[in-house]
Amino acid sequence: GAVVSQHPSWVICKSGTSVKIECRSLDFQATTMFWYRQFPKQSLMLMATSNEGSKATYEQGVEKDKFLINHASLTLSTLTVTSAHPEDSSFYICSAYTGQGGTGELFFGEGSRLTVL
Amino acid sequence: DAKTTQPTSMDCAEGRAANLPCNHSTISGNEYVYWYRQIHSQGPQYIIHGLKNNETNEMASLIITEDRKSSTLILPHATLRDTAVYYCIVRPRLTGNQFYFGTGTSLTVIP
């Protein structure tokens, strides 16, 4: 299957700093990528849809100024958690969709675990 | 929003078939049913998807009822490595390619 890579796998930062997480599709071009957040023992929550060359679409309740998304190319999307606080500590997962309509598959990165001290 | 209902947890004996049910009674005519699984602290892994017909691949089989209101994922010979949370997802028709995850079923394969 298609490969989606995230970096870093884990990061620890101080409260008030910003953290950038990269998501790359290694063997296919992804016009659309998605960012999810997952708290312990909970399901994945869709945060935003990242569209190449345009602004991201955020889900209700997700602060766009807090979670900056940039989809600079067909193989790279970045999520920046700005002024991180301990409550932002979570598992962040990106994904990329390979198809058109309903026929494609969604491939996920390995996830990035953020811990804010 | 998730449009599926799954049991919270299930056990299965190693080597036996694992049958994971999913209810999606409000599914629309052209919405697909997808199954993913997530092993602890990893990104979800694609398993299978279908529209109307039953589907089979090297990982699993997907049985969709004729009225499409429910489906069952079948792992024919469960192994310990199949222990994971399994998510059944109905892909929204009108809002693009977004995938919304429900609570999933935590499958434990017992030796």
PDB file of all heavy atoms in Angstrom, chain B residues 11-33:
ATOM      1  N   ASP B  11     -13.680 -10.739  22.203  1.00  0.00           N
ATOM      2  CA  ASP B  11     -12.565 -11.669  22.313  1.00  0.00           C
ATOM      3  C   ASP B  11     -12.703 -12.723  21.219  1.00  0.00           C
ATOM      4  O   ASP B  11     -13.807 -13.042  20.786  1.00  0.00           O
ATOM      5  CB  ASP B  11     -12.554 -12.365  23.684  1.00  0.00           C
ATOM      6  CG  ASP B  11     -12.246 -11.405  24.803  1.00  0.00           C
ATOM      7  OD1 ASP B  11     -11.660 -10.339  24.530  1.00  0.00           O
ATOM      8  OD2 ASP B  11     -12.597 -11.711  25.954  1.00  0.00           O
ATOM      9  N   CYS B  12     -11.573 -13.263  20.830  1.00  0.00           N
ATOM     10  CA  CYS B  12     -11.583 -14.314  19.828  1.00  0.00           C
ATOM     11  C   CYS B  12     -10.415 -15.253  20.127  1.00  0.00           C
ATOM     12  O   CYS B  12      -9.305 -14.788  20.459  1.00  0.00           O
ATOM     13  CB  CYS B  12     -11.456 -13.735  18.426  1.00  0.00           C
ATOM     14  SG  CYS B  12     -11.342 -14.966  17.109  1.00  0.00           S
ATOM     15  N   ALA B  13     -10.650 -16.555  19.998  1.00  0.00           N
ATOM     16  CA  ALA B  13      -9.574 -17.512  20.213  1.00  0.00           C
ATOM     17  C   ALA B  13      -8.641 -17.529  19.010  1.00  0.00           C
ATOM     18  O   ALA B  13      -9.072 -17.441  17.858  1.00  0.00           O
ATOM     19  CB  ALA B  13     -10.153 -18.898  20.450  1.00  0.00           C
ATOM     20  N   GLU B  14      -7.374 -17.626  19.287  1.00  0.00           N
ATOM     21  CA  GLU B  14      -6.368 -17.688  18.219  1.00  0.00           C
ATOM     22  C   GLU B  14      -6.674 -18.840  17.262  1.00  0.00           C
ATOM     23  O   GLU B  14      -6.989 -19.950  17.689  1.00  0.00           O
ATOM     24  CB  GLU B  14      -4.990 -17.867  18.839  1.00  0.00           C
ATOM     25  CG  GLU B  14      -3.846 -17.808  17.847  1.00  0.00           C
ATOM     26  CD  GLU B  14      -2.490 -17.969  18.524  1.00  0.00           C
ATOM     27  OE1 GLU B  14      -2.457 -18.459  19.679  1.00  0.00           O
ATOM     28  OE2 GLU B  14      -1.476 -17.605  17.906  1.00  0.00           O
ATOM     29  N   GLY B  15      -6.602 -18.563  15.980  1.00  0.00           N
ATOM     30  CA  GLY B  15      -6.863 -19.568  14.971  1.00  0.00           C
ATOM     31  C   GLY B  15      -8.308 -19.648  14.516  1.00  0.00           C
ATOM     32  O   GLY B  15      -8.610 -20.220  13.463  1.00  0.00           O
ATOM     33  N   ARG B  16      -9.192 -19.049  15.288  1.00  0.00           N
ATOM     34  CA  ARG B  16     -10.601 -19.040  14.930  1.00  0.00           C
ATOM     35  C   ARG B  16     -10.924 -17.788  14.132  1.00  0.00           C
ATOM     36  O   ARG B  16     -10.157 -16.825  14.082  1.00  0.00           O
ATOM     37  CB  ARG B  16     -11.473 -19.099  16.188  1.00  0.00           C
ATOM     38  CG  ARG B  16     -11.191 -20.258  17.112  1.00  0.00           C
ATOM     39  CD  ARG B  16     -11.483 -21.580  16.447  1.00  0.00           C
ATOM     40  NE  ARG B  16     -12.906 -21.779  16.216  1.00  0.00           N
ATOM     41  CZ  ARG B  16     -13.729 -22.354  17.091  1.00  0.00           C
ATOM     42  NH1 ARG B  16     -13.280 -22.781  18.247  1.00  0.00           N
ATOM     43  NH2 ARG B  16     -14.996 -22.510  16.797  1.00  0.00           N
ATOM     44  N   ALA B  17     -12.084 -17.807  13.499  1.00  0.00           N
ATOM     45  CA  ALA B  17     -12.513 -16.634  12.750  1.00  0.00           C
ATOM     46  C   ALA B  17     -13.032 -15.562  13.710  1.00  0.00           C
ATOM     47  O   ALA B  17     -13.764 -15.860  14.651  1.00  0.00           O
ATOM     48  CB  ALA B  17     -13.606 -17.015  11.752  1.00  0.00           C
ATOM     49  N   ALA B  18     -12.638 -14.341  13.442  1.00  0.00           N
ATOM     50  CA  ALA B  18     -13.153 -13.208  14.206  1.00  0.00           C
ATOM     51  C   ALA B  18     -14.188 -12.496  13.346  1.00  0.00           C
ATOM     52  O   ALA B  18     -13.888 -12.112  12.206  1.00  0.00           O
ATOM     53  CB  ALA B  18     -12.027 -12.258  14.584  1.00  0.00           C
ATOM     54  N   ASN B  19     -15.386 -12.351  13.880  1.00  0.00           N
ATOM     55  CA  ASN B  19     -16.471 -11.698  13.158  1.00  0.00           C
ATOM     56  C   ASN B  19     -16.831 -10.406  13.883  1.00  0.00           C
ATOM     57  O   ASN B  19     -17.371 -10.432  14.980  1.00  0.00           O
ATOM     58  CB  ASN B  19     -17.692 -12.609  13.082  1.00  0.00           C
ATOM     59  CG  ASN B  19     -17.408 -13.886  12.321  1.00  0.00           C
ATOM     60  OD1 ASN B  19     -17.340 -13.896  11.105  1.00  0.00           O
ATOM     61  ND2 ASN B  19     -17.224 -14.976  13.048  1.00  0.00           N
ATOM     62  N   LEU B  20     -16.541  -9.292  13.255  1.00  0.00           N
ATOM     63  CA  LEU B  20     -16.777  -7.995  13.882  1.00  0.00           C
ATOM     64  C   LEU B  20     -17.954  -7.308  13.204  1.00  0.00           C
ATOM     65  O   LEU B  20     -17.879  -6.963  12.027  1.00  0.00           O
ATOM     66  CB  LEU B  20     -15.531  -7.122  13.790  1.00  0.00           C
ATOM     67  CG  LEU B  20     -14.325  -7.600  14.614  1.00  0.00           C
ATOM     68  CD1 LEU B  20     -13.421  -8.489  13.780  1.00  0.00           C
ATOM     69  CD2 LEU B  20     -13.555  -6.414  15.152  1.00  0.00           C
ATOM     70  N   PRO B  21     -19.026  -7.077  13.952  1.00  0.00           N
ATOM     71  CA  PRO B  21     -20.214  -6.460  13.350  1.00  0.00           C
ATOM     72  C   PRO B  21     -20.156  -4.942  13.383  1.00  0.00           C
ATOM     73  O   PRO B  21     -19.477  -4.337  14.212  1.00  0.00           O
ATOM     74  CB  PRO B  21     -21.339  -6.972  14.246  1.00  0.00           C
ATOM     75  CG  PRO B  21     -20.688  -7.101  15.597  1.00  0.00           C
ATOM     76  CD  PRO B  21     -19.257  -7.489  15.342  1.00  0.00           C
ATOM     77  N   CYS B  22     -20.903  -4.349  12.468  1.00  0.00           N
ATOM     78  CA  CYS B  22     -21.033  -2.895  12.420  1.00  0.00           C
ATOM     79  C   CYS B  22     -22.434  -2.548  11.929  1.00  0.00           C
ATOM     80  O   CYS B  22     -22.901  -3.088  10.937  1.00  0.00           O
ATOM     81  CB  CYS B  22     -19.985  -2.310  11.481  1.00  0.00           C
ATOM     82  SG  CYS B  22     -20.070  -0.509  11.329  1.00  0.00           S
ATOM     83  N   ASN B  23     -23.060  -1.652  12.644  1.00  0.00           N
ATOM     84  CA  ASN B  23     -24.382  -1.180  12.241  1.00  0.00           C
ATOM     85  C   ASN B  23     -24.262   0.199  11.634  1.00  0.00           C
ATOM     86  O   ASN B  23     -23.660   1.098  12.222  1.00  0.00           O
ATOM     87  CB  ASN B  23     -25.302  -1.140  13.467  1.00  0.00           C
ATOM     88  CG  ASN B  23     -26.715  -0.739  13.107  1.00  0.00           C
ATOM     89  OD1 ASN B  23     -26.965   0.399  12.725  1.00  0.00           O
ATOM     90  ND2 ASN B  23     -27.635  -1.669  13.213  1.00  0.00           N
ATOM     91  N   HIS B  24     -24.826   0.362  10.449  1.00  0.00           N
ATOM     92  CA  HIS B  24     -24.821   1.672   9.765  1.00  0.00           C
ATOM     93  C   HIS B  24     -26.186   1.859   9.108  1.00  0.00           C
ATOM     94  O   HIS B  24     -26.292   1.940   7.879  1.00  0.00           O
ATOM     95  CB  HIS B  24     -23.672   1.808   8.768  1.00  0.00           C
ATOM     96  CG  HIS B  24     -23.265   0.525   8.104  1.00  0.00           C
ATOM     97  ND1 HIS B  24     -23.966  -0.028   7.054  1.00  0.00           N
ATOM     98  CD2 HIS B  24     -22.224  -0.306   8.355  1.00  0.00           C
ATOM     99  CE1 HIS B  24     -23.371  -1.138   6.669  1.00  0.00           C
ATOM    100  NE2 HIS B  24     -22.310  -1.337   7.430  1.00  0.00           N
ATOM    101  N   SER B  25     -27.202   1.923   9.939  1.00  0.00           N
ATOM    102  CA  SER B  25     -28.582   1.907   9.461  1.00  0.00           C
ATOM    103  C   SER B  25     -28.974   3.138   8.655  1.00  0.00           C
ATOM    104  O   SER B  25     -29.969   3.113   7.923  1.00  0.00           O
ATOM    105  CB  SER B  25     -29.543   1.747  10.641  1.00  0.00           C
ATOM    106  OG  SER B  25     -29.340   2.795  11.574  1.00  0.00           O
ATOM    107  N   THR B  26     -28.212   4.228   8.777  1.00  0.00           N
ATOM    108  CA  THR B  26     -28.566   5.459   8.048  1.00  0.00           C
ATOM    109  C   THR B  26     -27.689   5.662   6.817  1.00  0.00           C
ATOM    110  O   THR B  26     -27.666   6.764   6.256  1.00  0.00           O
ATOM    111  CB  THR B  26     -28.450   6.674   8.968  1.00  0.00           C
ATOM    112  OG1 THR B  26     -27.093   6.790   9.419  1.00  0.00           O
ATOM    113  CG2 THR B  26     -29.374   6.551  10.163  1.00  0.00           C
ATOM    114  N   ILE B  27     -27.023   4.630   6.385  1.00  0.00           N
ATOM    115  CA  ILE B  27     -26.118   4.750   5.243  1.00  0.00           C
ATOM    116  C   ILE B  27     -26.889   5.163   3.994  1.00  0.00           C
ATOM    117  O   ILE B  27     -28.029   4.730   3.762  1.00  0.00           O
ATOM    118  CB  ILE B  27     -25.370   3.426   5.014  1.00  0.00           C
ATOM    119  CG1 ILE B  27     -24.220   3.618   4.029  1.00  0.00           C
ATOM    120  CG2 ILE B  27     -26.325   2.325   4.578  1.00  0.00           C
ATOM    121  CD1 ILE B  27     -23.300   2.402   3.941  1.00  0.00           C
ATOM    122  N   SER B  28     -26.287   6.031   3.220  1.00  0.00           N
ATOM    123  CA  SER B  28     -26.905   6.472   1.965  1.00  0.00           C
ATOM    124  C   SER B  28     -26.473   5.567   0.820  1.00  0.00           C
ATOM    125  O   SER B  28     -25.515   4.812   0.939  1.00  0.00           O
ATOM    126  CB  SER B  28     -26.492   7.913   1.661  1.00  0.00           C
ATOM    127  OG  SER B  28     -26.946   8.786   2.656  1.00  0.00           O
ATOM    128  N   GLY B  29     -27.193   5.695  -0.297  1.00  0.00           N
ATOM    129  CA  GLY B  29     -27.017   4.760  -1.398  1.00  0.00           C
ATOM    130  C   GLY B  29     -25.616   4.658  -1.964  1.00  0.00           C
ATOM    131  O   GLY B  29     -25.192   3.580  -2.373  1.00  0.00           O
ATOM    132  N   ASN B  30     -24.891   5.771  -2.013  1.00  0.00           N
ATOM    133  CA  ASN B  30     -23.568   5.698  -2.616  1.00  0.00           C
ATOM    134  C   ASN B  30     -22.454   5.893  -1.608  1.00  0.00           C
ATOM    135  O   ASN B  30     -21.343   6.292  -1.968  1.00  0.00           O
ATOM    136  CB  ASN B  30     -23.446   6.711  -3.750  1.00  0.00           C
ATOM    137  CG  ASN B  30     -23.620   8.120  -3.249  1.00  0.00           C
ATOM    138  OD1 ASN B  30     -23.986   8.338  -2.090  1.00  0.00           O
ATOM    139  ND2 ASN B  30     -23.353   9.086  -4.094  1.00  0.00           N
ATOM    140  N   GLU B  31     -22.710   5.636  -0.367  1.00  0.00           N
ATOM    141  CA  GLU B  31     -21.667   5.707   0.657  1.00  0.00           C
ATOM    142  C   GLU B  31     -21.009   4.347   0.820  1.00  0.00           C
ATOM    143  O   GLU B  31     -21.680   3.318   0.858  1.00  0.00           O
ATOM    144  CB  GLU B  31     -22.252   6.167   1.992  1.00  0.00           C
ATOM    145  CG  GLU B  31     -22.679   7.625   1.985  1.00  0.00           C
ATOM    146  CD  GLU B  31     -23.173   8.061   3.343  1.00  0.00           C
ATOM    147  OE1 GLU B  31     -24.140   7.468   3.838  1.00  0.00           O
ATOM    148  OE2 GLU B  31     -22.597   9.013   3.904  1.00  0.00           O
ATOM    149  N   TYR B  32     -19.684   4.383   0.919  1.00  0.00           N
ATOM    150  CA  TYR B  32     -18.914   3.174   1.076  1.00  0.00           C
ATOM    151  C   TYR B  32     -18.720   2.841   2.558  1.00  0.00           C
ATOM    152  O   TYR B  32     -18.694   3.718   3.403  1.00  0.00           O
ATOM    153  CB  TYR B  32     -17.535   3.341   0.432  1.00  0.00           C
ATOM    154  CG  TYR B  32     -17.547   3.289  -1.065  1.00  0.00           C
ATOM    155  CD1 TYR B  32     -18.031   4.352  -1.820  1.00  0.00           C
ATOM    156  CD2 TYR B  32     -17.060   2.174  -1.742  1.00  0.00           C
ATOM    157  CE1 TYR B  32     -18.034   4.302  -3.202  1.00  0.00           C
ATOM    158  CE2 TYR B  32     -17.060   2.120  -3.123  1.00  0.00           C
ATOM    159  CZ  TYR B  32     -17.560   3.186  -3.848  1.00  0.00           C
ATOM    160  OH  TYR B  32     -17.564   3.125  -5.208  1.00  0.00           O
ATOM    161  N   VAL B  33     -18.520   1.556   2.822  1.00  0.00           N
ATOM    162  CA  VAL B  33     -18.170   1.096   4.161  1.00  0.00           C
ATOM    163  C   VAL B  33     -16.687   0.745   4.159  1.00  0.00           C
ATOM    164  O   VAL B  33     -16.225  -0.058   3.345  1.00  0.00           O
ATOM    165  CB  VAL B  33     -18.984  -0.143   4.560  1.00  0.00           C
ATOM    166  CG1 VAL B  33     -18.565  -0.592   5.977  1.00  0.00           C
ATOM    167  CG2 VAL B  33     -20.478   0.158   4.517  1.00  0.00           C
TER     168      VAL B  33
END
